[in-house]
């Protein structure tokens, strides 16, 4: 069990550029979550996958955001036409089907200049 | 809908002193509660959880939390803190929605342990 991994750990981009983040969950976990954390706040739910199916998207996830989990393993989160307000830590978490606790990756810190 | 309130945004304390980080929740259904810890530039680590059974739960590094249904609280305590406990602490409640669940977090409490 190598834990949840995320790549990259840090991303600096200019406003208007597209960025993509990757999350690799714990291998036997079929549930995957994305959260966003801004400075001084707790994580806020963005979206949820059960296997490859995306079952919920928060209204925080504008149409510039898209997430996929094509084979029910790793997931990607893409932000198109980034804005300064997108600057945040993007956290990925996974869990097994019968448990309640989620296991978090180290996060990707996005800075939009 | 479930929500979590962490009453203190920052808690400064001296090393070896006791500390309590407060958390209140609102929930109309079964309650499952967590404390996570976040060190600088890292993700969240599960510290302890309440799912059922004993209302007092403990972590391996000396923290404990008590589920109090009548006061809708899940305060985190440690009798003697170390410098290494300096971190951000988040309380979370499970929210049930459409046959699955997700975590709702409080805004966090920054614990600063001073020598």
């Amino acid at each position: 069990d190598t834990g949840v991994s995320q790549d990259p750990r840090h991303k600096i981009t200019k406003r208007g550029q597209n960025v993509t983040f990757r999350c690799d969950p714990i291998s036997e976990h079929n549930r995957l979550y994305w959260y966003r954390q801004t400075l001084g706040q707790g994580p806020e739910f963005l979206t949820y996958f059960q296997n490859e199916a995306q079952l919920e998207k928060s209204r925080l996830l504008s149409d510039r955001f898209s997430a996929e989990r094509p084979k029910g393993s790793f997931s990607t989160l893409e932000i198109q036409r980034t804005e300064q307000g997108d600057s945040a830590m993007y956290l990925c978490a996974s869990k097994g089907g019968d448990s309640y606790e989620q296991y978090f990756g180290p996060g990707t810190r996005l800075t939009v200049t | 809908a479930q929500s979590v309130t962490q009453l203190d945004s920052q808690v400064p304390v001296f090393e070896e002193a006791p500390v309590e980080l407060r958390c209140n929740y609102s929930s109309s259904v079964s309650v499952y509660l967590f404390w996570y810890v976040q060190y600088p530039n890292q993700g969240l680590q599960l510290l302890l959880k309440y799912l059922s059974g004993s209302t007092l739960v403990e972590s391996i590094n000396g923290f404990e939390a008590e589920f109090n249904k009548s006061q809708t609280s899940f305060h985190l305590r440690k009798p003697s803190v170390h410098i290494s406990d300096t971190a951000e602490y988040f309380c979370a409640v499970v929210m049930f929605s459409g046959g699955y669940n997700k975590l709702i977090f409080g805004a966090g409490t920054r614990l600063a342990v001073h020598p």
Side-chain angles (χ1 to χ4, degrees), chain A residues 4 6 9 37 43 89-92 103-109, chain B residues 36-46 87-88 90:
Chain A
V4 180
Q6 292 186 246
R9 294 290 307 275
Q37 184 181 20
M89 174 80 91
Y90 290 85
L91 294 163
C92 176
Y103 295 87
F104 284 79
T108 295
R109 182 169 295 283
Chain B
Y36 282 85
V37 59
Q38 186 177 36
Y39 298 100
N41 297 314
Q42 294 187 27
L44 279 69
Q45 300 175 30
L46 180 64
E88 187 109 25
F90 294 95

Side-chain angles (χ1 to χ4, degrees), chain B residues 19-101:
Chain B
V19 71
E20 178 179 80
L21 307 183
R22 296 180 292 171
C23 171
N24 286 88
Y25 67 90
S26 69
S27 175
S28 58
V29 295
S30 299
V31 179
Y32 303 99
L33 293 157
F34 300 87
W35 277 100
Y36 282 85
V37 59
Q38 186 177 36
Y39 298 100
N41 297 314
Q42 294 187 27
L44 279 69
Q45 300 175 30
L46 180 64
L47 189 59
L48 45 75
K49 61 187 177 186
Y50 171 77
L51 302 180
S52 64
S54 173
T55 57
L56 184 66
V57 291
E58 299 177 350
S59 72
I60 58 173
N61 57 354
F63 282 94
E64 64 179 31
E66 186 164 18
F67 170 60
N68 188 318
K69 188 174 182 179
S70 63
Q71 298 187 7
T72 62
S73 68
F74 190 54
H75 300 333
L76 182 69
R77 302 183 182 97
K78 189 170 186 180
S80 175
V81 294
H82 303 289
I83 295 288
S84 60
D85 293 325
T86 295
E88 187 109 25
Y89 292 80
F90 294 95
C91 183
V93 66
V94 173
M95 177 176 177
F96 296 90
S97 171
Y100 72 96
N101 60 78

